Amino acid sequence: MGQAGRGILTVVSGFAGSGKGTVMNKLIAEHDNYALSVSATSRSPRPGEKEGESYFFMTREQFEDLIKEDELLEYAEYVGNYYGTPREFVFKMLDEGKDVILEIELQGAMQIKRKYPDTVLIFLTPPDIEVLYERLKNRGTENDEVIAKRMKRASEEVLSIKDYDYVIINDNIEDCTRRVHEAIMTAHHTVGHERGLIEQLESGLAKWRT
Ligand code: 5GP
């Protein structure tokens, strides 16, 4: 049911260190209805990150060309770097019935919510702040200054969780992945997403109304 229709657009945000990436990889490995959007960014690759898989890495100038050419669905500056969602892939996948996931930060999430109010907005959080700090430190790829910047950013982001539809705790990967999947599956049946079905029912019943 609902599979033949247009896919659901979902935004997943979370503090740096919320484990978003791991949850997204698991979600995609376990279900074939998802397509994960690959963002463009002006930040440098971290060890192990792959071009076209983790991100499309580019210079600030190249990124600004994408903005000028209106090729991004949304974009934002985060801790000194540009990040943005290439538009074409998202619409193509939604039209093919895929549920598209954008793993993006808050400012981009709010742009998407304004433009596409039927989007499902999910915020992932570790169970508490100590876990958040430890996860960032243990990642080992960032220096103290970057960690401090990201914690500061988290202290601002926390104020906007109420603008999301769901806040899901990542205390355990399996449970968290299941909850994210359930939230997206439920969205297939909202009145906002099922407009086509409603119109079909309305016209089918019109002759009985007189
Ligand atoms: P990181 O540098 O750790 O990979 O990502 C930093 C932040 O940028 C994360 O919160 C991530 O979700 C966000 N981000 C990644 N891609 C995009 C994007 O296309 N647009 C926006 N607005 N944020 C993004």
Side-chain angles (χ1 to χ4, degrees), residues 12-16 20 37-41 43 46 49 55 74-78 83-86 103-109 111 139 142 150 157:
V12 177
S13 304
F15 306 123
K20 283 179 303 219
S37 158
V38 177
S39 297
T41 184
R43 94 152 154 70
R46 294 194 190 114
E49 285 186 331
Y55 284 103
E74 60 71 41
Y75 71 93
E77 251 190 297
Y78 175 92
Y83 294 85
T85 305
E103 193 205 310
I104 64 178
E105 54 66 75
L106 176 82
Q107 303 165 69
Q111 291 174 43
R139 206 190 250 179
E142 263 117 12
R150 290 188 176 219
E157 284 171 344

PDB file of all heavy atoms in Angstrom, residues 12-16 20 37-41 43 46 49 55 74-78 83-86 103-109 111 139 142 150 157, ligand 1:
ATOM      1  N   VAL A  12      16.692  14.149   8.335  1.00  0.00           N
ATOM      2  CA  VAL A  12      17.221  13.666   9.605  1.00  0.00           C
ATOM      3  C   VAL A  12      18.342  14.601  10.034  1.00  0.00           C
ATOM      4  O   VAL A  12      19.315  14.791   9.310  1.00  0.00           O
ATOM      5  CB  VAL A  12      17.744  12.216   9.500  1.00  0.00           C
ATOM      6  CG1 VAL A  12      18.357  11.769  10.822  1.00  0.00           C
ATOM      7  CG2 VAL A  12      16.623  11.261   9.106  1.00  0.00           C
ATOM      8  N   SER A  13      18.162  15.215  11.194  1.00  0.00           N
ATOM      9  CA  SER A  13      19.205  16.064  11.766  1.00  0.00           C
ATOM     10  C   SER A  13      19.588  15.480  13.125  1.00  0.00           C
ATOM     11  O   SER A  13      18.896  14.610  13.655  1.00  0.00           O
ATOM     12  CB  SER A  13      18.711  17.492  11.998  1.00  0.00           C
ATOM     13  OG  SER A  13      18.213  18.076  10.840  1.00  0.00           O
ATOM     14  N   GLY A  14      20.647  16.015  13.669  1.00  0.00           N
ATOM     15  CA  GLY A  14      21.043  15.563  15.001  1.00  0.00           C
ATOM     16  C   GLY A  14      22.342  16.238  15.347  1.00  0.00           C
ATOM     17  O   GLY A  14      23.050  16.713  14.450  1.00  0.00           O
ATOM     18  N   PHE A  15      22.661  16.282  16.628  1.00  0.00           N
ATOM     19  CA  PHE A  15      23.934  16.861  17.029  1.00  0.00           C
ATOM     20  C   PHE A  15      25.074  16.068  16.383  1.00  0.00           C
ATOM     21  O   PHE A  15      24.923  14.870  16.130  1.00  0.00           O
ATOM     22  CB  PHE A  15      24.110  16.759  18.555  1.00  0.00           C
ATOM     23  CG  PHE A  15      22.990  17.348  19.347  1.00  0.00           C
ATOM     24  CD1 PHE A  15      22.308  16.583  20.268  1.00  0.00           C
ATOM     25  CD2 PHE A  15      22.623  18.677  19.182  1.00  0.00           C
ATOM     26  CE1 PHE A  15      21.277  17.123  21.023  1.00  0.00           C
ATOM     27  CE2 PHE A  15      21.604  19.226  19.924  1.00  0.00           C
ATOM     28  CZ  PHE A  15      20.924  18.450  20.842  1.00  0.00           C
ATOM     29  N   ALA A  16      26.207  16.752  16.142  1.00  0.00           N
ATOM     30  CA  ALA A  16      27.397  16.016  15.735  1.00  0.00           C
ATOM     31  C   ALA A  16      27.662  15.007  16.854  1.00  0.00           C
ATOM     32  O   ALA A  16      27.665  15.369  18.024  1.00  0.00           O
ATOM     33  CB  ALA A  16      28.561  16.987  15.589  1.00  0.00           C
ATOM     34  N   LYS A  20      23.990   9.707  13.699  1.00  0.00           N
ATOM     35  CA  LYS A  20      23.117   9.764  12.507  1.00  0.00           C
ATOM     36  C   LYS A  20      23.616   8.888  11.366  1.00  0.00           C
ATOM     37  O   LYS A  20      22.850   8.153  10.766  1.00  0.00           O
ATOM     38  CB  LYS A  20      23.113  11.181  11.916  1.00  0.00           C
ATOM     39  CG  LYS A  20      22.318  12.187  12.602  1.00  0.00           C
ATOM     40  CD  LYS A  20      22.480  13.519  11.878  1.00  0.00           C
ATOM     41  CE  LYS A  20      23.908  13.925  11.806  1.00  0.00           C
ATOM     42  NZ  LYS A  20      24.363  15.226  11.954  1.00  0.00           N
ATOM     43  N   SER A  37      20.291  11.003  -0.015  1.00  0.00           N
ATOM     44  CA  SER A  37      20.856  12.077  -0.841  1.00  0.00           C
ATOM     45  C   SER A  37      22.323  12.311  -0.459  1.00  0.00           C
ATOM     46  O   SER A  37      22.662  12.299   0.722  1.00  0.00           O
ATOM     47  CB  SER A  37      20.019  13.341  -0.613  1.00  0.00           C
ATOM     48  OG  SER A  37      20.731  14.490  -0.938  1.00  0.00           O
ATOM     49  N   VAL A  38      23.177  12.489  -1.458  1.00  0.00           N
ATOM     50  CA  VAL A  38      24.592  12.814  -1.194  1.00  0.00           C
ATOM     51  C   VAL A  38      24.755  14.326  -1.369  1.00  0.00           C
ATOM     52  O   VAL A  38      24.420  14.873  -2.418  1.00  0.00           O
ATOM     53  CB  VAL A  38      25.527  12.041  -2.163  1.00  0.00           C
ATOM     54  CG1 VAL A  38      26.980  12.440  -1.934  1.00  0.00           C
ATOM     55  CG2 VAL A  38      25.345  10.537  -1.989  1.00  0.00           C
ATOM     56  N   SER A  39      25.241  14.978  -0.333  1.00  0.00           N
ATOM     57  CA  SER A  39      25.345  16.436  -0.336  1.00  0.00           C
ATOM     58  C   SER A  39      26.628  16.924  -0.991  1.00  0.00           C
ATOM     59  O   SER A  39      27.607  16.184  -1.085  1.00  0.00           O
ATOM     60  CB  SER A  39      25.349  16.946   1.110  1.00  0.00           C
ATOM     61  OG  SER A  39      24.143  16.632   1.745  1.00  0.00           O
ATOM     62  N   ALA A  40      26.594  18.178  -1.380  1.00  0.00           N
ATOM     63  CA  ALA A  40      27.815  18.871  -1.799  1.00  0.00           C
ATOM     64  C   ALA A  40      28.370  19.602  -0.584  1.00  0.00           C
ATOM     65  O   ALA A  40      27.597  20.055   0.266  1.00  0.00           O
ATOM     66  CB  ALA A  40      27.477  19.867  -2.897  1.00  0.00           C
ATOM     67  N   THR A  41      29.689  19.694  -0.481  1.00  0.00           N
ATOM     68  CA  THR A  41      30.275  20.455   0.632  1.00  0.00           C
ATOM     69  C   THR A  41      31.603  21.075   0.231  1.00  0.00           C
ATOM     70  O   THR A  41      32.314  20.537  -0.629  1.00  0.00           O
ATOM     71  CB  THR A  41      30.485  19.586   1.892  1.00  0.00           C
ATOM     72  OG1 THR A  41      30.958  20.430   2.955  1.00  0.00           O
ATOM     73  CG2 THR A  41      31.496  18.475   1.684  1.00  0.00           C
ATOM     74  N   ARG A  43      33.807  21.487   2.701  1.00  0.00           N
ATOM     75  CA  ARG A  43      34.807  21.050   3.701  1.00  0.00           C
ATOM     76  C   ARG A  43      35.703  19.969   3.108  1.00  0.00           C
ATOM     77  O   ARG A  43      35.340  19.311   2.149  1.00  0.00           O
ATOM     78  CB  ARG A  43      34.110  20.610   5.001  1.00  0.00           C
ATOM     79  CG  ARG A  43      33.825  19.162   5.138  1.00  0.00           C
ATOM     80  CD  ARG A  43      33.794  18.721   6.587  1.00  0.00           C
ATOM     81  NE  ARG A  43      32.965  17.546   6.806  1.00  0.00           N
ATOM     82  CZ  ARG A  43      33.260  16.324   6.396  1.00  0.00           C
ATOM     83  NH1 ARG A  43      34.341  16.097   5.672  1.00  0.00           N
ATOM     84  NH2 ARG A  43      32.440  15.328   6.678  1.00  0.00           N
ATOM     85  N   ARG A  46      37.370  13.832   5.335  1.00  0.00           N
ATOM     86  CA  ARG A  46      38.028  13.190   6.483  1.00  0.00           C
ATOM     87  C   ARG A  46      38.615  11.872   5.996  1.00  0.00           C
ATOM     88  O   ARG A  46      38.159  11.342   4.980  1.00  0.00           O
ATOM     89  CB  ARG A  46      36.988  12.867   7.576  1.00  0.00           C
ATOM     90  CG  ARG A  46      36.368  14.078   8.212  1.00  0.00           C
ATOM     91  CD  ARG A  46      35.627  13.685   9.504  1.00  0.00           C
ATOM     92  NE  ARG A  46      34.851  14.784   9.990  1.00  0.00           N
ATOM     93  CZ  ARG A  46      33.515  14.814  10.042  1.00  0.00           C
ATOM     94  NH1 ARG A  46      32.804  13.778   9.653  1.00  0.00           N
ATOM     95  NH2 ARG A  46      32.894  15.872  10.500  1.00  0.00           N
ATOM     96  N   GLU A  49      36.666   9.032   3.872  1.00  0.00           N
ATOM     97  CA  GLU A  49      35.488   9.518   3.143  1.00  0.00           C
ATOM     98  C   GLU A  49      35.730   9.437   1.638  1.00  0.00           C
ATOM     99  O   GLU A  49      36.831   9.718   1.165  1.00  0.00           O
ATOM    100  CB  GLU A  49      35.168  10.960   3.547  1.00  0.00           C
ATOM    101  CG  GLU A  49      34.520  11.024   4.913  1.00  0.00           C
ATOM    102  CD  GLU A  49      34.053  12.424   5.285  1.00  0.00           C
ATOM    103  OE1 GLU A  49      34.657  13.417   4.821  1.00  0.00           O
ATOM    104  OE2 GLU A  49      33.092  12.521   6.051  1.00  0.00           O
ATOM    105  N   TYR A  55      30.240  12.629   0.298  1.00  0.00           N
ATOM    106  CA  TYR A  55      29.877  13.966  -0.180  1.00  0.00           C
ATOM    107  C   TYR A  55      30.404  14.132  -1.593  1.00  0.00           C
ATOM    108  O   TYR A  55      31.246  13.363  -2.038  1.00  0.00           O
ATOM    109  CB  TYR A  55      30.571  15.049   0.679  1.00  0.00           C
ATOM    110  CG  TYR A  55      29.973  15.290   2.034  1.00  0.00           C
ATOM    111  CD1 TYR A  55      30.583  14.780   3.186  1.00  0.00           C
ATOM    112  CD2 TYR A  55      28.816  16.053   2.182  1.00  0.00           C
ATOM    113  CE1 TYR A  55      30.048  15.022   4.452  1.00  0.00           C
ATOM    114  CE2 TYR A  55      28.274  16.292   3.443  1.00  0.00           C
ATOM    115  CZ  TYR A  55      28.890  15.777   4.567  1.00  0.00           C
ATOM    116  OH  TYR A  55      28.349  16.016   5.805  1.00  0.00           O
ATOM    117  N   GLU A  74      18.448  23.152  -0.944  1.00  0.00           N
ATOM    118  CA  GLU A  74      18.704  23.985   0.237  1.00  0.00           C
ATOM    119  C   GLU A  74      20.204  24.007   0.430  1.00  0.00           C
ATOM    120  O   GLU A  74      20.902  23.129  -0.079  1.00  0.00           O
ATOM    121  CB  GLU A  74      18.015  23.427   1.486  1.00  0.00           C
ATOM    122  CG  GLU A  74      18.434  22.010   1.903  1.00  0.00           C
ATOM    123  CD  GLU A  74      19.832  21.901   2.479  1.00  0.00           C
ATOM    124  OE1 GLU A  74      20.218  22.782   3.253  1.00  0.00           O
ATOM    125  OE2 GLU A  74      20.553  20.944   2.146  1.00  0.00           O
ATOM    126  N   TYR A  75      20.696  24.988   1.165  1.00  0.00           N
ATOM    127  CA  TYR A  75      22.106  24.960   1.553  1.00  0.00           C
ATOM    128  C   TYR A  75      22.278  25.804   2.796  1.00  0.00           C
ATOM    129  O   TYR A  75      21.420  26.628   3.137  1.00  0.00           O
ATOM    130  CB  TYR A  75      23.020  25.451   0.417  1.00  0.00           C
ATOM    131  CG  TYR A  75      22.937  26.927   0.144  1.00  0.00           C
ATOM    132  CD1 TYR A  75      23.817  27.818   0.763  1.00  0.00           C
ATOM    133  CD2 TYR A  75      21.977  27.430  -0.707  1.00  0.00           C
ATOM    134  CE1 TYR A  75      23.737  29.175   0.524  1.00  0.00           C
ATOM    135  CE2 TYR A  75      21.885  28.795  -0.951  1.00  0.00           C
ATOM    136  CZ  TYR A  75      22.766  29.661  -0.332  1.00  0.00           C
ATOM    137  OH  TYR A  75      22.671  31.001  -0.561  1.00  0.00           O
ATOM    138  N   ALA A  76      23.404  25.580   3.475  1.00  0.00           N
ATOM    139  CA  ALA A  76      23.671  26.338   4.695  1.00  0.00           C
ATOM    140  C   ALA A  76      25.171  26.377   4.918  1.00  0.00           C
ATOM    141  O   ALA A  76      25.920  25.575   4.336  1.00  0.00           O
ATOM    142  CB  ALA A  76      22.992  25.659   5.880  1.00  0.00           C
ATOM    143  N   GLU A  77      25.599  27.307   5.774  1.00  0.00           N
ATOM    144  CA  GLU A  77      26.993  27.307   6.215  1.00  0.00           C
ATOM    145  C   GLU A  77      27.002  26.748   7.624  1.00  0.00           C
ATOM    146  O   GLU A  77      26.198  27.159   8.474  1.00  0.00           O
ATOM    147  CB  GLU A  77      27.578  28.714   6.177  1.00  0.00           C
ATOM    148  CG  GLU A  77      28.568  28.822   5.048  1.00  0.00           C
ATOM    149  CD  GLU A  77      29.383  30.083   5.032  1.00  0.00           C
ATOM    150  OE1 GLU A  77      28.768  31.148   4.872  1.00  0.00           O
ATOM    151  OE2 GLU A  77      30.617  29.993   5.173  1.00  0.00           O
ATOM    152  N   TYR A  78      27.877  25.779   7.864  1.00  0.00           N
ATOM    153  CA  TYR A  78      27.945  25.117   9.155  1.00  0.00           C
ATOM    154  C   TYR A  78      29.417  25.042   9.550  1.00  0.00           C
ATOM    155  O   TYR A  78      30.222  24.472   8.804  1.00  0.00           O
ATOM    156  CB  TYR A  78      27.328  23.715   9.047  1.00  0.00           C
ATOM    157  CG  TYR A  78      27.423  22.860  10.292  1.00  0.00           C
ATOM    158  CD1 TYR A  78      26.394  22.860  11.237  1.00  0.00           C
ATOM    159  CD2 TYR A  78      28.529  22.054  10.514  1.00  0.00           C
ATOM    160  CE1 TYR A  78      26.476  22.074  12.375  1.00  0.00           C
ATOM    161  CE2 TYR A  78      28.621  21.265  11.652  1.00  0.00           C
ATOM    162  CZ  TYR A  78      27.593  21.282  12.572  1.00  0.00           C
ATOM    163  OH  TYR A  78      27.685  20.500  13.699  1.00  0.00           O
ATOM    164  N   TYR A  83      27.359  23.474   2.960  1.00  0.00           N
ATOM    165  CA  TYR A  83      26.773  22.152   2.747  1.00  0.00           C
ATOM    166  C   TYR A  83      25.458  22.350   1.993  1.00  0.00           C
ATOM    167  O   TYR A  83      24.698  23.252   2.345  1.00  0.00           O
ATOM    168  CB  TYR A  83      26.428  21.468   4.076  1.00  0.00           C
ATOM    169  CG  TYR A  83      27.609  21.123   4.950  1.00  0.00           C
ATOM    170  CD1 TYR A  83      28.158  22.057   5.811  1.00  0.00           C
ATOM    171  CD2 TYR A  83      28.161  19.849   4.915  1.00  0.00           C
ATOM    172  CE1 TYR A  83      29.239  21.740   6.625  1.00  0.00           C
ATOM    173  CE2 TYR A  83      29.240  19.522   5.723  1.00  0.00           C
ATOM    174  CZ  TYR A  83      29.770  20.471   6.579  1.00  0.00           C
ATOM    175  OH  TYR A  83      30.836  20.148   7.379  1.00  0.00           O
ATOM    176  N   GLY A  84      25.169  21.519   1.000  1.00  0.00           N
ATOM    177  CA  GLY A  84      23.905  21.691   0.281  1.00  0.00           C
ATOM    178  C   GLY A  84      23.434  20.416  -0.387  1.00  0.00           C
ATOM    179  O   GLY A  84      24.216  19.504  -0.662  1.00  0.00           O
ATOM    180  N   THR A  85      22.136  20.361  -0.672  1.00  0.00           N
ATOM    181  CA  THR A  85      21.495  19.177  -1.262  1.00  0.00           C
ATOM    182  C   THR A  85      21.256  19.368  -2.755  1.00  0.00           C
ATOM    183  O   THR A  85      20.480  20.244  -3.133  1.00  0.00           O
ATOM    184  CB  THR A  85      20.115  18.942  -0.596  1.00  0.00           C
ATOM    185  OG1 THR A  85      20.283  18.861   0.812  1.00  0.00           O
ATOM    186  CG2 THR A  85      19.455  17.685  -1.119  1.00  0.00           C
ATOM    187  N   PRO A  86      21.911  18.574  -3.622  1.00  0.00           N
ATOM    188  CA  PRO A  86      21.619  18.668  -5.057  1.00  0.00           C
ATOM    189  C   PRO A  86      20.145  18.318  -5.325  1.00  0.00           C
ATOM    190  O   PRO A  86      19.628  17.307  -4.847  1.00  0.00           O
ATOM    191  CB  PRO A  86      22.557  17.619  -5.672  1.00  0.00           C
ATOM    192  CG  PRO A  86      23.652  17.448  -4.663  1.00  0.00           C
ATOM    193  CD  PRO A  86      22.984  17.621  -3.338  1.00  0.00           C
ATOM    194  N   GLU A 103      20.232  13.959   5.175  1.00  0.00           N
ATOM    195  CA  GLU A 103      20.862  14.038   6.494  1.00  0.00           C
ATOM    196  C   GLU A 103      21.509  15.408   6.582  1.00  0.00           C
ATOM    197  O   GLU A 103      22.649  15.596   6.139  1.00  0.00           O
ATOM    198  CB  GLU A 103      21.887  12.907   6.591  1.00  0.00           C
ATOM    199  CG  GLU A 103      22.388  12.680   7.981  1.00  0.00           C
ATOM    200  CD  GLU A 103      23.764  12.045   7.942  1.00  0.00           C
ATOM    201  OE1 GLU A 103      23.960  11.048   7.233  1.00  0.00           O
ATOM    202  OE2 GLU A 103      24.640  12.582   8.625  1.00  0.00           O
ATOM    203  N   ILE A 104      20.775  16.391   7.071  1.00  0.00           N
ATOM    204  CA  ILE A 104      21.235  17.782   7.003  1.00  0.00           C
ATOM    205  C   ILE A 104      21.036  18.490   8.341  1.00  0.00           C
ATOM    206  O   ILE A 104      20.308  18.007   9.207  1.00  0.00           O
ATOM    207  CB  ILE A 104      20.525  18.561   5.876  1.00  0.00           C
ATOM    208  CG1 ILE A 104      19.017  18.678   6.147  1.00  0.00           C
ATOM    209  CG2 ILE A 104      20.761  17.900   4.528  1.00  0.00           C
ATOM    210  CD1 ILE A 104      18.275  19.489   5.091  1.00  0.00           C
ATOM    211  N   GLU A 105      21.693  19.644   8.462  1.00  0.00           N
ATOM    212  CA  GLU A 105      21.591  20.353   9.741  1.00  0.00           C
ATOM    213  C   GLU A 105      20.339  21.244   9.751  1.00  0.00           C
ATOM    214  O   GLU A 105      19.604  21.336   8.777  1.00  0.00           O
ATOM    215  CB  GLU A 105      22.908  21.090  10.084  1.00  0.00           C
ATOM    216  CG  GLU A 105      23.422  22.016   9.036  1.00  0.00           C
ATOM    217  CD  GLU A 105      22.530  23.180   8.808  1.00  0.00           C
ATOM    218  OE1 GLU A 105      22.540  24.065   9.665  1.00  0.00           O
ATOM    219  OE2 GLU A 105      21.828  23.230   7.771  1.00  0.00           O
ATOM    220  N   LEU A 106      20.206  21.890  10.885  1.00  0.00           N
ATOM    221  CA  LEU A 106      19.001  22.639  11.203  1.00  0.00           C
ATOM    222  C   LEU A 106      18.541  23.718  10.211  1.00  0.00           C
ATOM    223  O   LEU A 106      17.374  23.763   9.833  1.00  0.00           O
ATOM    224  CB  LEU A 106      19.315  23.290  12.554  1.00  0.00           C
ATOM    225  CG  LEU A 106      18.320  24.214  13.133  1.00  0.00           C
ATOM    226  CD1 LEU A 106      17.263  23.396  13.813  1.00  0.00           C
ATOM    227  CD2 LEU A 106      19.001  25.139  14.123  1.00  0.00           C
ATOM    228  N   GLN A 107      19.470  24.582   9.781  1.00  0.00           N
ATOM    229  CA  GLN A 107      19.035  25.675   8.892  1.00  0.00           C
ATOM    230  C   GLN A 107      18.481  25.125   7.584  1.00  0.00           C
ATOM    231  O   GLN A 107      17.459  25.599   7.087  1.00  0.00           O
ATOM    232  CB  GLN A 107      20.224  26.578   8.528  1.00  0.00           C
ATOM    233  CG  GLN A 107      20.950  27.191   9.688  1.00  0.00           C
ATOM    234  CD  GLN A 107      22.296  27.744   9.203  1.00  0.00           C
ATOM    235  OE1 GLN A 107      22.340  28.717   8.468  1.00  0.00           O
ATOM    236  NE2 GLN A 107      23.377  27.104   9.584  1.00  0.00           N
ATOM    237  N   GLY A 108      19.155  24.096   7.057  1.00  0.00           N
ATOM    238  CA  GLY A 108      18.673  23.448   5.830  1.00  0.00           C
ATOM    239  C   GLY A 108      17.328  22.777   6.087  1.00  0.00           C
ATOM    240  O   GLY A 108      16.422  22.839   5.252  1.00  0.00           O
ATOM    241  N   ALA A 109      17.200  22.145   7.250  1.00  0.00           N
ATOM    242  CA  ALA A 109      15.946  21.457   7.605  1.00  0.00           C
ATOM    243  C   ALA A 109      14.782  22.442   7.595  1.00  0.00           C
ATOM    244  O   ALA A 109      13.703  22.151   7.072  1.00  0.00           O
ATOM    245  CB  ALA A 109      16.085  20.807   8.983  1.00  0.00           C
ATOM    246  N   GLN A 111      14.610  25.283   5.948  1.00  0.00           N
ATOM    247  CA  GLN A 111      14.318  25.714   4.566  1.00  0.00           C
ATOM    248  C   GLN A 111      13.419  24.685   3.880  1.00  0.00           C
ATOM    249  O   GLN A 111      12.466  25.032   3.192  1.00  0.00           O
ATOM    250  CB  GLN A 111      15.608  25.824   3.744  1.00  0.00           C
ATOM    251  CG  GLN A 111      16.524  26.969   4.154  1.00  0.00           C
ATOM    252  CD  GLN A 111      17.842  26.902   3.378  1.00  0.00           C
ATOM    253  OE1 GLN A 111      17.875  26.650   2.182  1.00  0.00           O
ATOM    254  NE2 GLN A 111      18.950  27.106   4.072  1.00  0.00           N
ATOM    255  N   ARG A 139      35.720  10.148  18.313  1.00  0.00           N
ATOM    256  CA  ARG A 139      35.790  10.075  16.866  1.00  0.00           C
ATOM    257  C   ARG A 139      37.248  10.250  16.413  1.00  0.00           C
ATOM    258  O   ARG A 139      37.662   9.684  15.413  1.00  0.00           O
ATOM    259  CB  ARG A 139      34.933  11.202  16.290  1.00  0.00           C
ATOM    260  CG  ARG A 139      34.402  10.921  14.936  1.00  0.00           C
ATOM    261  CD  ARG A 139      33.785  12.162  14.371  1.00  0.00           C
ATOM    262  NE  ARG A 139      32.346  12.080  14.283  1.00  0.00           N
ATOM    263  CZ  ARG A 139      31.601  13.080  13.834  1.00  0.00           C
ATOM    264  NH1 ARG A 139      32.152  14.224  13.492  1.00  0.00           N
ATOM    265  NH2 ARG A 139      30.301  12.962  13.753  1.00  0.00           N
ATOM    266  N   GLU A 142      38.910  15.024  15.003  1.00  0.00           N
ATOM    267  CA  GLU A 142      38.805  16.464  15.152  1.00  0.00           C
ATOM    268  C   GLU A 142      39.602  16.967  16.353  1.00  0.00           C
ATOM    269  O   GLU A 142      39.713  16.278  17.361  1.00  0.00           O
ATOM    270  CB  GLU A 142      37.338  16.856  15.303  1.00  0.00           C
ATOM    271  CG  GLU A 142      36.744  17.295  13.997  1.00  0.00           C
ATOM    272  CD  GLU A 142      35.613  16.405  13.506  1.00  0.00           C
ATOM    273  OE1 GLU A 142      35.123  15.573  14.280  1.00  0.00           O
ATOM    274  OE2 GLU A 142      35.245  16.541  12.352  1.00  0.00           O
ATOM    275  N   ARG A 150      31.610  22.490  17.785  1.00  0.00           N
ATOM    276  CA  ARG A 150      30.457  21.624  17.550  1.00  0.00           C
ATOM    277  C   ARG A 150      29.566  21.540  18.793  1.00  0.00           C
ATOM    278  O   ARG A 150      28.346  21.456  18.680  1.00  0.00           O
ATOM    279  CB  ARG A 150      30.915  20.239  17.064  1.00  0.00           C
ATOM    280  CG  ARG A 150      31.468  20.381  15.668  1.00  0.00           C
ATOM    281  CD  ARG A 150      31.807  19.111  14.953  1.00  0.00           C
ATOM    282  NE  ARG A 150      32.219  19.480  13.592  1.00  0.00           N
ATOM    283  CZ  ARG A 150      31.930  18.819  12.501  1.00  0.00           C
ATOM    284  NH1 ARG A 150      31.248  17.709  12.563  1.00  0.00           N
ATOM    285  NH2 ARG A 150      32.330  19.237  11.327  1.00  0.00           N
ATOM    286  N   GLU A 157      21.495  24.433  18.598  1.00  0.00           N
ATOM    287  CA  GLU A 157      20.557  23.543  17.898  1.00  0.00           C
ATOM    288  C   GLU A 157      19.470  23.002  18.825  1.00  0.00           C
ATOM    289  O   GLU A 157      18.337  22.810  18.406  1.00  0.00           O
ATOM    290  CB  GLU A 157      21.324  22.365  17.281  1.00  0.00           C
ATOM    291  CG  GLU A 157      22.095  22.724  16.039  1.00  0.00           C
ATOM    292  CD  GLU A 157      23.018  21.609  15.556  1.00  0.00           C
ATOM    293  OE1 GLU A 157      23.299  20.669  16.327  1.00  0.00           O
ATOM    294  OE2 GLU A 157      23.461  21.689  14.417  1.00  0.00           O
TER     295      GLU A 157
HETATM  296  P1  5GP B   1      29.946  16.814   8.812  1.00  0.00           P
HETATM  297  O1  5GP B   1      30.973  17.855   8.497  1.00  0.00           O
HETATM  298  O2  5GP B   1      30.067  16.295  10.222  1.00  0.00           O
HETATM  299  O3  5GP B   1      29.899  15.703   7.781  1.00  0.00           O
HETATM  300  O4  5GP B   1      28.515  17.520   8.720  1.00  0.00           O
HETATM  301  C1  5GP B   1      28.263  18.663   9.454  1.00  0.00           C
HETATM  302  C2  5GP B   1      26.779  18.966   9.448  1.00  0.00           C
HETATM  303  O5  5GP B   1      26.341  19.298   8.128  1.00  0.00           O
HETATM  304  C3  5GP B   1      25.922  17.782   9.883  1.00  0.00           C
HETATM  305  O6  5GP B   1      24.956  18.259  10.807  1.00  0.00           O
HETATM  306  C4  5GP B   1      25.272  17.330   8.599  1.00  0.00           C
HETATM  307  O7  5GP B   1      23.999  16.748   8.837  1.00  0.00           O
HETATM  308  C5  5GP B   1      25.129  18.641   7.879  1.00  0.00           C
HETATM  309  N1  5GP B   1      24.941  18.488   6.430  1.00  0.00           N
HETATM  310  C6  5GP B   1      25.429  17.529   5.613  1.00  0.00           C
HETATM  311  N2  5GP B   1      24.997  17.717   4.369  1.00  0.00           N
HETATM  312  C7  5GP B   1      24.198  18.811   4.376  1.00  0.00           C
HETATM  313  C8  5GP B   1      23.421  19.504   3.378  1.00  0.00           C
HETATM  314  O8  5GP B   1      23.360  19.134   2.220  1.00  0.00           O
HETATM  315  N3  5GP B   1      22.739  20.591   3.794  1.00  0.00           N
HETATM  316  C9  5GP B   1      22.751  21.046   5.060  1.00  0.00           C
HETATM  317  N4  5GP B   1      22.014  22.111   5.357  1.00  0.00           N
HETATM  318  N5  5GP B   1      23.454  20.418   6.035  1.00  0.00           N
HETATM  319  C10 5GP B   1      24.167  19.310   5.695  1.00  0.00           C
END
